Amino acid sequence: MEPLPADIVPDRVSALVRFLLLKYRTQELTTRAEMLSRVTRECREQFCEIFSETCECLQVVFGVDVREVDPINHTYVLGSTLGLTYDGVGINGRSFPKTGFLVLILSIIFIEGNCVPEEKVWEKLDAVGVSVEIEHSIYGDPRELLTRFLVQELYIEYRRVADSDPARYEFLWGPRAHAETSKMKVLEYLAKINGREPGAFPDLYLDALRDQAVRAQAEIALNMTRASSSVMSGEFSHSE
């Protein structure tokens, strides 16, 4: 049996990524059999490798998760990473999902202490091949996406550094990011793609635990408020 060409697996990964992105845009389920039909017969034995690399690419680059919902029939659903509801695809649904960019930005902010100077964010993005000066093939204009669209969608807070002259700016998580995901979810994501456990990053893990405690306290306070309002409403109705 002749060895496969060196580029055959990357080529099949690319084809499967395109196919699953189409499924994501149309919000359709897919099956293992359907995915296998997209892989040439010569690569059937490499399907596990191809599928694994495809899932990693979809999650890291596009912010799309592939989840098995029926292990008997091997049926899969595609959804946004970390439960984020914005993907930047737009009304026509023709552009690429940009959730991967959002996850990258949220991760940078979290890792760098929850508040990051603008110039440091551009530096981190440039290190992974996303230049603020160059139109990106997937994310479009990175500056506009970050400082306009993600700010408008309340995922990112973009504020001027106090007393800075000339003016300098910094990034923080916005209210929608706090509402839809959490530091612990971001840490678990980062740990997974690095083949580690969350506890392997002690400073980030403690920060995420503190965030969980604050969220739990806020939930308790909210439930108490709702219960109190319900009781007072009942008392008021009985007094009429």
Side-chain angles (χ1 to χ4, degrees):
M1 187 177 190
E2 294 185 6
L4 293 174
D7 61 347
I8 190 68
V9 169
D11 181 65
R12 292 301 88 198
V13 168
S14 178
L16 194 53
V17 165
R18 292 195 299 271
F19 169 70
L20 291 178
L21 283 175
L22 177 61
K23 289 293 184 179
Y24 172 80
R25 291 190 185 102
T26 57
Q27 299 182 346
E28 295 179 38
L29 298 176
T30 189
T31 63
R32 179 185 176 89
E34 194 173 32
M35 288 186 281
L36 274 168
S37 70
R38 298 285 163 164
V39 178
T40 55
R41 185 173 299 174
E42 308 88 69
C43 288
R44 293 297 174 94
E45 292 183 2
Q46 283 76 35
F47 178 75
C48 288
E49 177 188 354
I50 292 169
F51 182 61
S52 177
E53 291 187 21
T54 297
C55 290
E56 182 178 359
C57 175
L58 285 169
Q59 184 177 59
V60 174
V61 178
F62 299 99
V64 173
D65 285 342
V66 182
R67 294 187 292 271
E68 190 173 35
V69 291
D70 184 349
I72 297 175
N73 296 307
H74 299 293
T75 302
Y76 297 83
V77 65
L78 293 97
S80 294
T81 298
L82 301 180
L84 299 165
T85 59
Y86 172 81
D87 60 13
V89 168
I91 296 174
N92 60 20
R94 293 178 182 174
S95 63
F96 291 111
K98 299 173 180 61
T99 315
F101 182 84
L102 172 57
V103 172
L104 176 58
I105 296 300
L106 294 177
S107 299
I108 291 172
I109 294 171
F110 174 44
I111 291 170
E112 295 295 329
N114 304 308
C115 181
V116 193
E118 180 178 15
E119 58 272 18
K120 191 159 193 175
V121 171
W122 301 136
E123 177 186 315
K124 295 290 185 182
L125 288 176
D126 191 61
V128 296
V130 182
S131 173
V132 66
E133 306 297 338
I134 302 174
E135 185 88 1
H136 194 271
S137 59
I138 296 170
Y139 306 136
D141 182 340
R143 184 185 294 276
E144 183 179 45
L145 178 57
L146 178 52
T147 63
R148 180 184 172 192
F149 293 115
L150 294 182
V151 171
Q152 287 177 350
E153 294 291 336
L154 304 179
Y155 280 111
I156 299 297
E157 183 181 349
Y158 181 51
R159 71 185 186 189
R160 180 173 177 173
V161 176
D163 302 321
S164 60
D165 186 18
R168 292 184 295 108
Y169 293 84
E170 57 192 6
F171 294 104
L172 302 86
W173 281 25
R176 189 170 170 186
H178 285 288
E180 291 185 359
T181 192
S182 68
K183 293 179 182 180
M184 187 60 77
K185 288 181 180 179
V186 171
L187 178 57
E188 289 170 348
Y189 164 83
L190 291 170
K192 178 184 176 183
I193 64 174
N194 284 284
R196 310 283 291 279
E197 293 295 324
F201 308 92
D203 291 341
L204 297 178
Y205 189 60
L206 286 174
D207 189 9
L209 286 175
R210 285 192 292 267
D211 181 61
Q212 280 190 328
V214 170
R215 288 170 178 269
Q217 291 172 353
E219 184 67 24
I220 291 171
L222 179 60
N223 290 337
M224 289 178 64
T225 300
R226 288 171 175 168
S228 177
S229 297
S230 178
V231 170
M232 293 178 67
S233 177
E235 292 292 332
F236 179 75
S237 63
H238 287 313
S239 66
E240 290 183 336

PDB file of all heavy atoms in Angstrom, residues 69-94:
ATOM      1  N   VAL A  69     -24.371  14.768  20.724  1.00  0.00           N
ATOM      2  CA  VAL A  69     -25.631  14.788  21.459  1.00  0.00           C
ATOM      3  C   VAL A  69     -26.343  13.437  21.417  1.00  0.00           C
ATOM      4  O   VAL A  69     -27.290  13.209  22.156  1.00  0.00           O
ATOM      5  CB  VAL A  69     -26.575  15.890  20.908  1.00  0.00           C
ATOM      6  CG1 VAL A  69     -26.026  17.269  21.233  1.00  0.00           C
ATOM      7  CG2 VAL A  69     -26.805  15.741  19.404  1.00  0.00           C
ATOM      8  N   ASP A  70     -25.890  12.548  20.551  1.00  0.00           N
ATOM      9  CA  ASP A  70     -26.465  11.203  20.449  1.00  0.00           C
ATOM     10  C   ASP A  70     -25.331  10.209  20.220  1.00  0.00           C
ATOM     11  O   ASP A  70     -24.915   9.976  19.076  1.00  0.00           O
ATOM     12  CB  ASP A  70     -27.474  11.142  19.298  1.00  0.00           C
ATOM     13  CG  ASP A  70     -28.173   9.783  19.200  1.00  0.00           C
ATOM     14  OD1 ASP A  70     -27.727   8.834  19.879  1.00  0.00           O
ATOM     15  OD2 ASP A  70     -29.140   9.664  18.427  1.00  0.00           O
ATOM     16  N   PRO A  71     -24.798   9.613  21.298  1.00  0.00           N
ATOM     17  CA  PRO A  71     -23.649   8.700  21.161  1.00  0.00           C
ATOM     18  C   PRO A  71     -23.976   7.400  20.439  1.00  0.00           C
ATOM     19  O   PRO A  71     -23.070   6.714  19.976  1.00  0.00           O
ATOM     20  CB  PRO A  71     -23.240   8.437  22.614  1.00  0.00           C
ATOM     21  CG  PRO A  71     -24.461   8.741  23.424  1.00  0.00           C
ATOM     22  CD  PRO A  71     -25.178   9.823  22.705  1.00  0.00           C
ATOM     23  N   ILE A  72     -25.257   7.060  20.344  1.00  0.00           N
ATOM     24  CA  ILE A  72     -25.629   5.834  19.645  1.00  0.00           C
ATOM     25  C   ILE A  72     -25.546   6.027  18.131  1.00  0.00           C
ATOM     26  O   ILE A  72     -24.945   5.225  17.408  1.00  0.00           O
ATOM     27  CB  ILE A  72     -27.046   5.380  20.050  1.00  0.00           C
ATOM     28  CG1 ILE A  72     -27.082   5.038  21.546  1.00  0.00           C
ATOM     29  CG2 ILE A  72     -27.489   4.187  19.208  1.00  0.00           C
ATOM     30  CD1 ILE A  72     -28.446   4.692  22.068  1.00  0.00           C
ATOM     31  N   ASN A  73     -26.149   7.120  17.656  1.00  0.00           N
ATOM     32  CA  ASN A  73     -26.127   7.422  16.226  1.00  0.00           C
ATOM     33  C   ASN A  73     -24.985   8.361  15.844  1.00  0.00           C
ATOM     34  O   ASN A  73     -24.863   8.744  14.679  1.00  0.00           O
ATOM     35  CB  ASN A  73     -27.462   8.037  15.798  1.00  0.00           C
ATOM     36  CG  ASN A  73     -28.616   7.073  15.968  1.00  0.00           C
ATOM     37  OD1 ASN A  73     -28.573   5.948  15.474  1.00  0.00           O
ATOM     38  ND2 ASN A  73     -29.656   7.490  16.679  1.00  0.00           N
ATOM     39  N   HIS A  74     -24.183   8.742  16.837  1.00  0.00           N
ATOM     40  CA  HIS A  74     -23.043   9.643  16.608  1.00  0.00           C
ATOM     41  C   HIS A  74     -23.495  10.926  15.900  1.00  0.00           C
ATOM     42  O   HIS A  74     -23.023  11.261  14.812  1.00  0.00           O
ATOM     43  CB  HIS A  74     -21.945   8.937  15.808  1.00  0.00           C
ATOM     44  CG  HIS A  74     -21.388   7.729  16.485  1.00  0.00           C
ATOM     45  ND1 HIS A  74     -20.655   7.810  17.658  1.00  0.00           N
ATOM     46  CD2 HIS A  74     -21.478   6.409  16.185  1.00  0.00           C
ATOM     47  CE1 HIS A  74     -20.300   6.600  18.037  1.00  0.00           C
ATOM     48  NE2 HIS A  74     -20.800   5.726  17.172  1.00  0.00           N
ATOM     49  N   THR A  75     -24.426  11.607  16.560  1.00  0.00           N
ATOM     50  CA  THR A  75     -24.952  12.866  16.036  1.00  0.00           C
ATOM     51  C   THR A  75     -24.327  14.025  16.808  1.00  0.00           C
ATOM     52  O   THR A  75     -24.166  13.957  18.027  1.00  0.00           O
ATOM     53  CB  THR A  75     -26.480  12.919  16.182  1.00  0.00           C
ATOM     54  OG1 THR A  75     -27.048  11.794  15.497  1.00  0.00           O
ATOM     55  CG2 THR A  75     -27.047  14.206  15.594  1.00  0.00           C
ATOM     56  N   TYR A  76     -23.983  15.084  16.085  1.00  0.00           N
ATOM     57  CA  TYR A  76     -23.267  16.208  16.689  1.00  0.00           C
ATOM     58  C   TYR A  76     -24.010  17.523  16.434  1.00  0.00           C
ATOM     59  O   TYR A  76     -24.664  17.701  15.413  1.00  0.00           O
ATOM     60  CB  TYR A  76     -21.853  16.321  16.110  1.00  0.00           C
ATOM     61  CG  TYR A  76     -20.984  15.116  16.404  1.00  0.00           C
ATOM     62  CD1 TYR A  76     -21.069  13.967  15.606  1.00  0.00           C
ATOM     63  CD2 TYR A  76     -20.087  15.123  17.466  1.00  0.00           C
ATOM     64  CE1 TYR A  76     -20.273  12.856  15.862  1.00  0.00           C
ATOM     65  CE2 TYR A  76     -19.294  14.015  17.733  1.00  0.00           C
ATOM     66  CZ  TYR A  76     -19.392  12.887  16.938  1.00  0.00           C
ATOM     67  OH  TYR A  76     -18.611  11.785  17.199  1.00  0.00           O
ATOM     68  N   VAL A  77     -23.849  18.445  17.398  1.00  0.00           N
ATOM     69  CA  VAL A  77     -24.381  19.788  17.259  1.00  0.00           C
ATOM     70  C   VAL A  77     -23.223  20.766  17.367  1.00  0.00           C
ATOM     71  O   VAL A  77     -22.244  20.506  18.075  1.00  0.00           O
ATOM     72  CB  VAL A  77     -25.448  20.084  18.342  1.00  0.00           C
ATOM     73  CG1 VAL A  77     -24.838  20.075  19.748  1.00  0.00           C
ATOM     74  CG2 VAL A  77     -26.135  21.420  18.085  1.00  0.00           C
ATOM     75  N   LEU A  78     -23.329  21.878  16.663  1.00  0.00           N
ATOM     76  CA  LEU A  78     -22.285  22.891  16.705  1.00  0.00           C
ATOM     77  C   LEU A  78     -22.820  24.148  17.391  1.00  0.00           C
ATOM     78  O   LEU A  78     -23.925  24.603  17.088  1.00  0.00           O
ATOM     79  CB  LEU A  78     -21.802  23.231  15.297  1.00  0.00           C
ATOM     80  CG  LEU A  78     -21.060  22.096  14.600  1.00  0.00           C
ATOM     81  CD1 LEU A  78     -22.001  21.338  13.675  1.00  0.00           C
ATOM     82  CD2 LEU A  78     -19.855  22.608  13.825  1.00  0.00           C
ATOM     83  N   GLY A  79     -22.037  24.689  18.315  1.00  0.00           N
ATOM     84  CA  GLY A  79     -22.450  25.880  19.043  1.00  0.00           C
ATOM     85  C   GLY A  79     -21.247  26.713  19.436  1.00  0.00           C
ATOM     86  O   GLY A  79     -20.092  26.289  19.297  1.00  0.00           O
ATOM     87  N   SER A  80     -21.510  27.905  19.943  1.00  0.00           N
ATOM     88  CA  SER A  80     -20.434  28.827  20.303  1.00  0.00           C
ATOM     89  C   SER A  80     -19.705  28.378  21.568  1.00  0.00           C
ATOM     90  O   SER A  80     -20.319  27.890  22.515  1.00  0.00           O
ATOM     91  CB  SER A  80     -20.995  30.238  20.514  1.00  0.00           C
ATOM     92  OG  SER A  80     -21.500  30.760  19.311  1.00  0.00           O
ATOM     93  N   THR A  81     -18.410  28.564  21.580  1.00  0.00           N
ATOM     94  CA  THR A  81     -17.577  28.250  22.732  1.00  0.00           C
ATOM     95  C   THR A  81     -17.948  29.119  23.938  1.00  0.00           C
ATOM     96  O   THR A  81     -18.296  30.290  23.787  1.00  0.00           O
ATOM     97  CB  THR A  81     -16.087  28.487  22.373  1.00  0.00           C
ATOM     98  OG1 THR A  81     -15.728  27.605  21.316  1.00  0.00           O
ATOM     99  CG2 THR A  81     -15.174  28.246  23.563  1.00  0.00           C
ATOM    100  N   LEU A  82     -17.896  28.534  25.117  1.00  0.00           N
ATOM    101  CA  LEU A  82     -18.120  29.219  26.402  1.00  0.00           C
ATOM    102  C   LEU A  82     -19.539  29.752  26.566  1.00  0.00           C
ATOM    103  O   LEU A  82     -19.793  30.554  27.451  1.00  0.00           O
ATOM    104  CB  LEU A  82     -17.116  30.371  26.590  1.00  0.00           C
ATOM    105  CG  LEU A  82     -15.627  29.987  26.564  1.00  0.00           C
ATOM    106  CD1 LEU A  82     -14.767  31.232  26.759  1.00  0.00           C
ATOM    107  CD2 LEU A  82     -15.307  28.961  27.630  1.00  0.00           C
ATOM    108  N   GLY A  83     -20.450  29.336  25.688  1.00  0.00           N
ATOM    109  CA  GLY A  83     -21.831  29.796  25.818  1.00  0.00           C
ATOM    110  C   GLY A  83     -22.058  31.223  25.353  1.00  0.00           C
ATOM    111  O   GLY A  83     -23.127  31.800  25.589  1.00  0.00           O
ATOM    112  N   LEU A  84     -21.077  31.821  24.682  1.00  0.00           N
ATOM    113  CA  LEU A  84     -21.207  33.193  24.189  1.00  0.00           C
ATOM    114  C   LEU A  84     -22.222  33.241  23.044  1.00  0.00           C
ATOM    115  O   LEU A  84     -22.245  32.351  22.199  1.00  0.00           O
ATOM    116  CB  LEU A  84     -19.851  33.710  23.724  1.00  0.00           C
ATOM    117  CG  LEU A  84     -18.775  33.766  24.830  1.00  0.00           C
ATOM    118  CD1 LEU A  84     -17.383  33.923  24.225  1.00  0.00           C
ATOM    119  CD2 LEU A  84     -19.072  34.892  25.808  1.00  0.00           C
ATOM    120  N   THR A  85     -23.049  34.267  23.013  1.00  0.00           N
ATOM    121  CA  THR A  85     -24.143  34.310  22.045  1.00  0.00           C
ATOM    122  C   THR A  85     -23.863  35.183  20.831  1.00  0.00           C
ATOM    123  O   THR A  85     -24.684  35.251  19.917  1.00  0.00           O
ATOM    124  CB  THR A  85     -25.441  34.799  22.722  1.00  0.00           C
ATOM    125  OG1 THR A  85     -25.213  36.107  23.277  1.00  0.00           O
ATOM    126  CG2 THR A  85     -25.862  33.858  23.832  1.00  0.00           C
ATOM    127  N   TYR A  86     -22.729  35.856  20.796  1.00  0.00           N
ATOM    128  CA  TYR A  86     -22.379  36.699  19.649  1.00  0.00           C
ATOM    129  C   TYR A  86     -21.314  36.004  18.814  1.00  0.00           C
ATOM    130  O   TYR A  86     -20.304  35.548  19.347  1.00  0.00           O
ATOM    131  CB  TYR A  86     -21.841  38.053  20.136  1.00  0.00           C
ATOM    132  CG  TYR A  86     -21.281  38.937  19.041  1.00  0.00           C
ATOM    133  CD1 TYR A  86     -22.124  39.704  18.247  1.00  0.00           C
ATOM    134  CD2 TYR A  86     -19.910  38.995  18.798  1.00  0.00           C
ATOM    135  CE1 TYR A  86     -21.615  40.518  17.235  1.00  0.00           C
ATOM    136  CE2 TYR A  86     -19.396  39.808  17.797  1.00  0.00           C
ATOM    137  CZ  TYR A  86     -20.248  40.562  17.023  1.00  0.00           C
ATOM    138  OH  TYR A  86     -19.747  41.358  16.027  1.00  0.00           O
ATOM    139  N   ASP A  87     -21.545  35.912  17.497  1.00  0.00           N
ATOM    140  CA  ASP A  87     -20.522  35.312  16.645  1.00  0.00           C
ATOM    141  C   ASP A  87     -20.082  36.221  15.506  1.00  0.00           C
ATOM    142  O   ASP A  87     -19.162  35.885  14.766  1.00  0.00           O
ATOM    143  CB  ASP A  87     -20.978  33.960  16.090  1.00  0.00           C
ATOM    144  CG  ASP A  87     -22.240  34.057  15.234  1.00  0.00           C
ATOM    145  OD1 ASP A  87     -22.623  35.180  14.860  1.00  0.00           O
ATOM    146  OD2 ASP A  87     -22.843  33.000  14.948  1.00  0.00           O
ATOM    147  N   GLY A  88     -20.748  37.366  15.357  1.00  0.00           N
ATOM    148  CA  GLY A  88     -20.323  38.326  14.348  1.00  0.00           C
ATOM    149  C   GLY A  88     -20.530  37.886  12.919  1.00  0.00           C
ATOM    150  O   GLY A  88     -20.000  38.499  11.988  1.00  0.00           O
ATOM    151  N   VAL A  89     -21.322  36.847  12.709  1.00  0.00           N
ATOM    152  CA  VAL A  89     -21.545  36.342  11.343  1.00  0.00           C
ATOM    153  C   VAL A  89     -22.358  37.325  10.523  1.00  0.00           C
ATOM    154  O   VAL A  89     -22.143  37.483   9.328  1.00  0.00           O
ATOM    155  CB  VAL A  89     -22.233  34.956  11.394  1.00  0.00           C
ATOM    156  CG1 VAL A  89     -22.727  34.564  10.007  1.00  0.00           C
ATOM    157  CG2 VAL A  89     -21.263  33.908  11.918  1.00  0.00           C
ATOM    158  N   GLY A  90     -23.278  38.027  11.159  1.00  0.00           N
ATOM    159  CA  GLY A  90     -24.079  39.019  10.446  1.00  0.00           C
ATOM    160  C   GLY A  90     -25.363  38.448   9.892  1.00  0.00           C
ATOM    161  O   GLY A  90     -25.609  37.244   9.923  1.00  0.00           O
ATOM    162  N   ILE A  91     -26.158  39.328   9.341  1.00  0.00           N
ATOM    163  CA  ILE A  91     -27.486  38.949   8.857  1.00  0.00           C
ATOM    164  C   ILE A  91     -27.403  37.977   7.684  1.00  0.00           C
ATOM    165  O   ILE A  91     -28.161  37.018   7.595  1.00  0.00           O
ATOM    166  CB  ILE A  91     -28.280  40.210   8.446  1.00  0.00           C
ATOM    167  CG1 ILE A  91     -28.521  41.096   9.673  1.00  0.00           C
ATOM    168  CG2 ILE A  91     -29.617  39.824   7.814  1.00  0.00           C
ATOM    169  CD1 ILE A  91     -29.179  42.429   9.347  1.00  0.00           C
ATOM    170  N   ASN A  92     -26.460  38.211   6.754  1.00  0.00           N
ATOM    171  CA  ASN A  92     -26.400  37.349   5.568  1.00  0.00           C
ATOM    172  C   ASN A  92     -25.772  35.988   5.866  1.00  0.00           C
ATOM    173  O   ASN A  92     -25.898  35.057   5.076  1.00  0.00           O
ATOM    174  CB  ASN A  92     -25.640  38.037   4.427  1.00  0.00           C
ATOM    175  CG  ASN A  92     -24.198  38.394   4.795  1.00  0.00           C
ATOM    176  OD1 ASN A  92     -23.626  37.832   5.725  1.00  0.00           O
ATOM    177  ND2 ASN A  92     -23.634  39.329   4.062  1.00  0.00           N
ATOM    178  N   GLY A  93     -25.115  35.868   7.037  1.00  0.00           N
ATOM    179  CA  GLY A  93     -24.548  34.588   7.443  1.00  0.00           C
ATOM    180  C   GLY A  93     -23.399  34.103   6.580  1.00  0.00           C
ATOM    181  O   GLY A  93     -23.046  32.933   6.599  1.00  0.00           O
ATOM    182  N   ARG A  94     -22.770  35.012   5.824  1.00  0.00           N
ATOM    183  CA  ARG A  94     -21.720  34.597   4.896  1.00  0.00           C
ATOM    184  C   ARG A  94     -20.318  34.746   5.470  1.00  0.00           C
ATOM    185  O   ARG A  94     -19.387  34.126   4.970  1.00  0.00           O
ATOM    186  CB  ARG A  94     -21.835  35.397   3.591  1.00  0.00           C
ATOM    187  CG  ARG A  94     -23.103  35.074   2.807  1.00  0.00           C
ATOM    188  CD  ARG A  94     -23.198  35.919   1.559  1.00  0.00           C
ATOM    189  NE  ARG A  94     -24.446  35.651   0.832  1.00  0.00           N
ATOM    190  CZ  ARG A  94     -24.841  36.325  -0.235  1.00  0.00           C
ATOM    191  NH1 ARG A  94     -24.096  37.318  -0.700  1.00  0.00           N
ATOM    192  NH2 ARG A  94     -25.981  36.026  -0.831  1.00  0.00           N
TER     193      ARG A  94
END
